Amino acid sequence: MFERNLLFQSLNKVNDSVLITNAECIILFSNSTYKETRLANDAKIIGKHFGDESLKICDARQCEEISTNCKARKIWTGVIRGKQGGGIVQSDSLTVTPMFDTNGHLEFMLFVMHNITNELVKERNIQHLNKLETLRQVLGDISHDFKNILMAISIYAELLQDDANLSENSRKYLESIRNEIIRAQELQNNISAKFSTTTHACKNLFPLTLKP
């Protein structure tokens, strides 16, 4: 009993959330971090099955996998998603370690949950930035080709205007073409500038700081 109490005292100093269940998956202990994060007390936790829906530790499939793994003397690892106190969605990496008695029978299961919400958000934003960067490069290539096409049209329009045999109506058409080229160039510059601003704004998201 003394050793168990000493273990519980030590686990209360851990920053990660910790639960201990018996072989039947009934919760025997929850550390301070778990209770503070979930805004719960022992009365709402102790004595419940770790798969109890009110605890929102893991889904039915994960519960079955955890139980099966522990009975087979295997450590289970995975990601669980639930709600903290206040309804904030949290993602945790969960490691469940089976603990056996002197006869080799499963006695306890140790649940350690590490909050990885920030890491997942950062990872998603990095993936989004990578997609934006790829799109920026593609648009840059298209913009370059488009600029070359506009330049070629503009040059041909100017050469035609030097033709002394060109009718007045044709000159008006050429002038309209040149005006449209100028508008197209302005549109291209605006699109490039707006996309560059959006990419820069997304990069300013880092580093992200979220409450655990």
Side-chain angles (χ1 to χ4, degrees):
M1 178 63 80
F2 173 76
E3 292 179 352
R4 180 181 296 185
N5 290 336
L6 188 61
L7 172 62
F8 289 171
Q9 289 175 12
S10 300
L11 292 176
N12 275 324
K13 298 177 182 178
V14 175
N15 290 327
D16 292 331
S17 296
V18 178
L19 294 175
I20 295 179
T21 75
N22 61 16
E24 286 72 40
C25 309
I26 302 302
I27 298 173
L28 305 175
F29 168 82
S30 64
N31 75 337
S32 300
T33 302
Y34 181 88
K35 284 178 280 205
E36 289 169 4
T37 302
R38 270 71 179 183
L39 297 180
N41 54 39
D42 282 340
K44 296 181 179 179
I45 304 168
I46 303 303
K48 288 190 176 182
H49 190 282
F50 75 81
D52 191 299
E53 290 186 2
S54 66
L55 298 177
K56 300 185 185 301
I57 298 174
C58 54
D59 58 37
R61 178 187 59 81
Q62 289 173 321
C63 289
E64 186 176 348
E65 287 180 1
I66 290 169
S67 181
T68 301
N69 272 37
C70 287
K71 290 176 181 177
R73 298 175 173 269
K74 296 179 181 178
I75 294 175
W76 187 92
T77 59
V79 175
I80 59 173
R81 293 174 178 83
K83 289 186 178 181
Q84 300 176 332
I88 300 172
V89 177
Q90 174 174 310
S91 296
D92 291 287
S93 65
L94 171 62
T95 301
V96 184
T97 305
M99 304 170 70
F100 300 90
D101 60 21
T102 54
N103 295 319
H105 299 131
L106 179 63
E107 186 173 13
F108 303 112
M109 291 186 284
L110 176 67
F111 290 66
V112 179
M113 289 161 270
H114 176 67
N115 187 349
I116 57 171
T117 307
N118 283 345
E119 288 84 345
L120 290 178
V121 172
K122 289 179 181 178
E123 183 180 345
R124 284 195 296 268
N125 280 329
I126 289 172
Q127 291 173 352
H128 181 61
L129 280 178
N130 289 338
K131 291 178 181 178
L132 282 178
E133 180 60 25
T134 300
L135 181 58
R136 187 191 68 79
Q137 292 175 359
V138 172
L139 287 178
D141 292 339
I142 295 174
S143 176
H144 180 73
D145 293 339
F146 187 57
K147 185 182 294 185
N148 289 340
I149 293 171
L150 290 177
M151 185 178 295
I153 295 173
S154 179
I155 291 172
Y156 283 123
E158 290 184 12
L159 289 173
L160 284 172
Q161 278 193 325
D162 292 336
D163 187 348
N165 297 322
L166 200 64
S167 67
E168 188 63 27
N169 283 338
S170 295
R171 290 185 185 280
K172 289 181 180 180
Y173 290 143
L174 285 175
E175 186 63 28
S176 296
I177 291 172
R178 293 183 63 187
N179 290 336
E180 292 304 319
I181 289 172
I182 292 172
R183 287 181 58 192
Q185 289 172 336
E186 290 176 350
L187 178 61
Q188 173 205 3
N189 291 335
N190 288 337
I191 292 174
S192 298
K194 287 180 179 178
F195 189 79
S196 177
T197 301
T198 301
T199 305
H200 179 71
C202 288
K203 288 181 179 178
N204 286 339
L205 289 173
F206 298 96
L208 291 173
T209 53
L210 298 177
K211 292 183 179 180

